[in-house]
Amino acid sequence: MTSVHRVAVLAVDGVYPFELGIPSRVFGATEGHYEVLTCTVDGRPVRTNSDFSITTEHGPETLSTADTVVIPPFSTTAVTPEVPQAVVEALRSVAPGTRLVSICTGAFVLAAAGLLDGRPATTHWVVADLFRSWFPKVALDPNVLFIDDGDVLTSAGAASGLDVCLHIIRKDHGSEVANHVARMCVVPPWRDGGQAQYIRHPVPEATTSGTATARQWALENLHEPMALTDLAEHSHMSLRTFVRRFTEEVGTSPGRWLIQQRVERARHLLESTDLPVDEIAGRVGFAGGTSLREHLHAAIGVSPLAYRRTFRGAASTS
């Protein structure tokens, strides 16, 4: 991306003020890559879910000029299986191909408008059952922080709005810009696991320790071959107990988490160095370049060469 990318944030009645401000705060920290405009469906003030209303400087006409449209969440008391007519009319002005992003209950708007039919999506786990009953045509996954389905991205509650915005920046401009924004916002550039780690679970037995020590050890030794039994030993648990506790704490299996960390480290090296693919594979613990290519393609759909060309330019791939 070389030009300024316009992001329109649509505030609807009952909007959550915190999430409403996330796109402006995160995209605004990229130092000129994005222009963020907040609008309403009719240009009038809207009530928030708090004790105040907000007034924006833009109306629905902003949506037709946007490259990305973000729909923040709104009070669950305002959630219905149908979109208010004013919102429907506003969404009709969005140009085909515009990237659509929802945060938390914002997914209800996209689903009610038929924009998620047949697509994977997520929303806050608390309203997942309601969402699924109202919109059975949507492939809902309430266990993840966000889902990127190309031109439509959906995210879970509150802070996952930060996650999806940082993901978009990384997708558009690479990890260096995304990491800078994360530092400016004092948030992690990437969070492990998914919503499952935040869903209420029974309290574990007092004699059971956590898996954080094993995860830290794994991150410090990604270049080394490691088995799940090695991770379990660092947590002083049996393999069965370790796998169960790890999944409860992180929201994904140990094996999948380990692959994710290796892929993320490989992406960083592809972006920041000119190391050969085989050498990068060795540094992050994959068996060879072929294994790295397979896992990278499975994660983001491109080859190491294509990824490096996107984020470092043709000169680095010659």
Side-chain angles (χ1 to χ4, degrees):
M1 299 175 60
T2 56
S3 59
V4 176
H5 187 98
R6 174 168 287 186
V7 178
V9 184
L10 179 61
V12 299
D13 239 10
V15 67
Y16 284 54
F18 172 75
E19 289 90 332
L20 176 64
I22 286 176
S24 179
R25 181 67 183 91
V26 177
F27 291 120
T30 61
E31 300 176 352
H33 288 300
Y34 300 88
E35 175 189 32
V36 183
L37 304 176
T38 304
C39 63
T40 61
V41 296
D42 53 11
R44 298 177 181 176
V46 296
R47 295 178 294 106
T48 69
N49 78 316
S50 300
D51 61 343
F52 59 90
S53 297
I54 61 166
T55 301
T56 69
E57 296 183 2
H58 307 282
E61 68 282 351
T62 303
L63 299 174
S64 64
T65 66
D67 301 297
T68 293
V69 172
V70 181
I71 302 179
F74 48 94
S75 175
T76 54
T77 59
V79 169
T80 66
E82 296 183 356
V83 177
Q85 189 58 34
V87 178
V88 172
E89 294 298 327
L91 290 176
R92 284 176 180 167
S93 67
V94 176
T98 299
R99 182 163 56 196
L100 300 174
V101 183
S102 69
I103 303 174
C104 192
T105 54
F108 279 78
V109 172
L110 296 182
L115 298 172
L116 297 181
D117 287 355
R119 308 187 75 144
T122 193
T123 188
H124 198 293
W125 64 268
V126 166
V127 293
D129 289 341
L130 179 64
F131 186 98
R132 189 178 283 113
S133 67
W134 283 355
F135 310 112
K137 294 181 180 179
V138 182
L140 183 71
D141 183 355
N143 295 316
V144 296
L145 295 176
F146 63 84
I147 289 179
D148 181 347
D149 192 37
D151 59 342
V152 177
L153 296 91
T154 53
S155 60
S160 65
L162 295 164
D163 296 318
V164 74
C165 288
L166 286 169
H167 169 74
I168 289 171
I169 293 171
R170 180 170 189 160
K171 185 176 180 179
D172 291 347
H173 299 288
S175 62
E176 185 175 350
V177 176
N179 290 344
H180 168 74
V181 170
R183 286 192 296 271
M184 294 298 293
C185 296
V186 199
V187 296
W190 181 269
R191 283 197 294 164
D192 298 332
Q195 293 193 72
Q197 61 189 307
Y198 303 107
I199 297 174
R200 185 177 300 165
H201 295 288
V203 177
E205 298 86 351
T207 57
T208 305
S209 60
T211 63
T213 300
R215 296 200 301 274
Q216 184 60 38
W217 174 81
L219 292 175
E220 293 171 355
N221 295 275
L222 279 181
H223 60 287
E224 298 286 352
M226 64 181 72
L228 294 187
T229 51
D230 298 324
L231 295 172
E233 287 178 3
H234 275 81
S235 294
H236 306 290
M237 301 178 191
S238 69
L239 179 59
R240 183 176 180 179
T241 298
F242 173 76
V243 171
R244 176 177 59 81
R245 284 301 309 277
F246 191 103
T247 304
E248 289 175 351
E249 293 177 9
V250 180
T252 190
S253 69
R256 181 174 295 179
W257 176 86
L258 188 57
I259 290 174
Q260 289 174 344
Q261 304 314 307
R262 284 175 166 157
V263 168
E264 290 304 311
R265 184 75 58 83
R267 290 173 67 173
H268 173 72
L269 291 174
L270 286 168
E271 295 176 22
S272 60
T273 75
D274 292 318
L275 293 172
V277 172
D278 285 345
E279 185 171 344
I280 290 177
R283 290 194 179 199
V284 302
F286 286 126
T290 299
S291 180
L292 170 56
R293 290 181 182 91
E294 291 175 351
H295 286 297
L296 186 68
H297 191 275
I300 58 176
V302 299
S303 68
L305 182 63
Y307 186 83
R308 175 170 272 166
R309 182 182 294 116
T310 297
F311 292 111
R312 283 179 61 79
S316 66
T317 60
S318 60

